[in-house]
Amino acid sequence: APHLEPTTTAVVAGASGAAFALSLSVSSPRMQHLREEPETTAAPVRQPILAISHGGGPCFFMDDEEGMFRDINSKSTTADWFRKWLEADGALAEAAEAGDRAPYQRPQGIVVVSAHYEEDAPTVIDCGNDLHKLLYDYYGFPPETYELAWPVRNSEAMVHDIEKALAEHGFPLKRNRLRGLDHGVFVPLKLALPQADIPVTQISLLASLDPDAHFQLGQALAPLRDQGYLIVCSGQVTHSLSSFRLEADPEDVDPRFRAFTDWFDTLVTSKDISPEMRREMLLQWELQAPHARLVHPREEHLIPFIVAAGIAGGRPGKKAWDNGFVLGTLSLNAYIWA
């Protein structure tokens, strides 16, 4: 069986154009001068927050009809959901409408927090003027999955805005100019943005995996939403490789993993939980959640969801996608905050 690494608008929304106000009377001695108003750019519209389960390795680019990824292959409904993110009837447009920000305006950049990158301090992948490299951080998959290409760039303005947002909350930002985007980034976003025409970058987790530090990291990233940046937190609601059951049907779910997922769904989406209580429960997830360490022997795949909750200020989100479980234990749930 394939082995997954255990660790882990410019579109400025809106159009820009010059506005001209002409007031000219050739018959009057008080003839006014031609007046040109300065060019203006529409202000970015607040972007949603997405927290996703990114599946297994490059599964969404595989035509695996009978193997372990048969239910999350390139033809799966989950792959189709990823493909529709940025479309007029996709998850982001629905969230914009729910947040009274219709019509949806595409992000001017996408910032991804992935479970597969950890550093001692927040670190951004900065490819400068080059294309991002891709990091094929999965093992034992078909040869063609190591040839996937996605010609995407970041932008210096986006990196600067991230740096400024973090600095205002006391987080120093490092830049990594050598690393590529890992599969927690390029697999879902290559589906959603095959034309690669929006700048993308990735921010690391903290190697401490401290829940409170990551909630605060989310709070620091929150202002980027109002600058037109979509923030995608990419992990997995459940993640225990040793618990995969390769022959399990979607209906054959380990009840302990379902119990954890039900607990997590309620915690993320319930309007009866205050922001303060939601934060406290997330920080104490290991004590609060049923079967916590069975479901997450190591919590790097849960931490991106805590970052998302921090960005949202502890407010409830909505379930954006639920296609059940695969492999008996792997939840595909995703959440969105308008």
Side-chain angles (χ1 to χ4, degrees):
H3 169 69
L4 307 184
E5 189 177 23
T7 66
T8 60
T9 256
V11 183
V12 166
S16 64
F20 297 94
L22 304 182
S23 180
L24 184 64
S25 173
V26 295
S27 61
S28 168
R30 297 190 302 270
M31 185 172 101
Q32 299 179 359
H33 294 287
L34 182 67
R35 181 163 53 96
E36 179 178 315
E37 293 183 354
E39 181 176 298
T40 60
T41 302
V45 171
R46 169 176 281 201
Q47 292 290 322
I49 310 158
L50 265 174
I52 64 168
S53 297
H54 58 240
C59 61
F60 299 117
F61 293 96
M62 295 167 55
D63 297 327
D64 186 4
E65 297 288 350
E66 298 184 5
M68 66 183 291
F69 295 116
R70 60 192 178 277
D71 297 312
I72 46 174
N73 62 17
S74 62
K75 301 174 184 177
S76 65
T77 55
T78 300
D80 287 340
W81 179 75
F82 283 126
R83 291 186 185 102
K84 291 182 66 176
W85 273 5
L86 295 166
E87 295 182 4
D89 58 347
L92 301 181
E94 291 176 1
E97 184 174 356
D100 294 325
R101 292 189 299 276
Y104 175 64
Q105 297 182 357
R106 297 177 94 216
Q108 69 174 19
I110 302 176
V111 181
V112 186
V113 180
S114 168
H116 290 276
Y117 182 32
E118 302 170 20
E119 292 278 7
D120 291 338
T123 304
V124 66
I125 304 299
D126 181 9
C127 63
N129 294 321
D130 299 324
L131 295 174
H132 277 298
K133 297 186 289 289
L134 302 186
L135 181 62
Y136 307 109
D137 54 336
Y138 40 77
Y139 307 96
F141 285 85
E144 63 269 19
T145 65
Y146 298 91
E147 298 175 0
L148 293 171
W150 189 46
V152 72
R153 304 177 187 272
N154 59 224
S155 74
E156 177 58 32
M158 178 166 62
V159 174
H160 173 76
D161 288 340
I162 295 168
E163 192 169 44
K164 181 179 178 183
L166 293 186
E168 290 177 354
H169 285 75
F171 284 100
L173 182 71
K174 298 194 299 185
R175 299 191 187 201
N176 188 330
R177 301 184 186 274
L178 300 177
R179 190 183 193 272
L181 304 176
D182 61 58
H183 76 270
V185 180
F186 77 80
V187 168
L189 288 187
K190 179 175 166 62
L191 289 170
L193 193 70
Q195 66 273 34
D197 61 350
I198 298 176
V200 173
T201 195
Q202 174 178 1
I203 299 177
S204 72
L205 300 181
L206 303 173
S208 67
L209 298 183
D210 177 70
D212 190 36
H214 285 91
F215 193 96
Q216 293 180 53
L217 177 62
Q219 291 176 309
L221 293 172
L224 296 173
R225 298 178 64 196
D226 291 318
Q227 296 173 260
Y229 297 114
L230 171 66
I231 307 176
V232 179
C233 297
S234 178
Q236 201 73 45
V237 171
T238 61
H239 190 260
S240 178
L241 302 183
S242 63
S243 298
F244 284 179
R245 290 154 45 191
L246 304 188
E247 302 304 320
D249 293 324
E251 298 78 21
D252 182 16
V253 179
D254 187 315
R256 298 168 295 179
F257 285 76
R258 188 182 295 280
F260 179 95
T261 301
D262 290 345
W263 173 86
F264 193 72
D265 276 353
T266 299
L267 178 57
V268 171
T269 64
S270 175
K271 296 180 180 179
D272 295 327
I273 300 175
S274 70
E276 295 77 17
M277 179 58 70
R278 182 173 288 105
R279 175 176 183 169
E280 187 60 26
M281 292 176 71
L282 284 168
L283 301 191
Q284 299 294 325
W285 71 273
E286 189 175 357
L287 300 175
Q288 298 274 348
H291 315 293
R293 279 302 178 189
L294 171 68
V295 175
H296 286 283
R298 191 173 185 272
E299 58 267 41
E300 80 286 344
H301 275 74
L302 182 65
I303 291 294
F305 292 90
I306 296 178
V307 175
I311 298 168
R315 295 185 303 278
K318 293 178 62 178
K319 190 182 292 186
W321 181 247
D322 180 0
N323 199 32
F325 289 76
V326 295
L327 301 173
T329 64
L330 193 64
S331 168
L332 299 174
N333 286 4
Y335 304 90
I336 195 163
W337 288 258

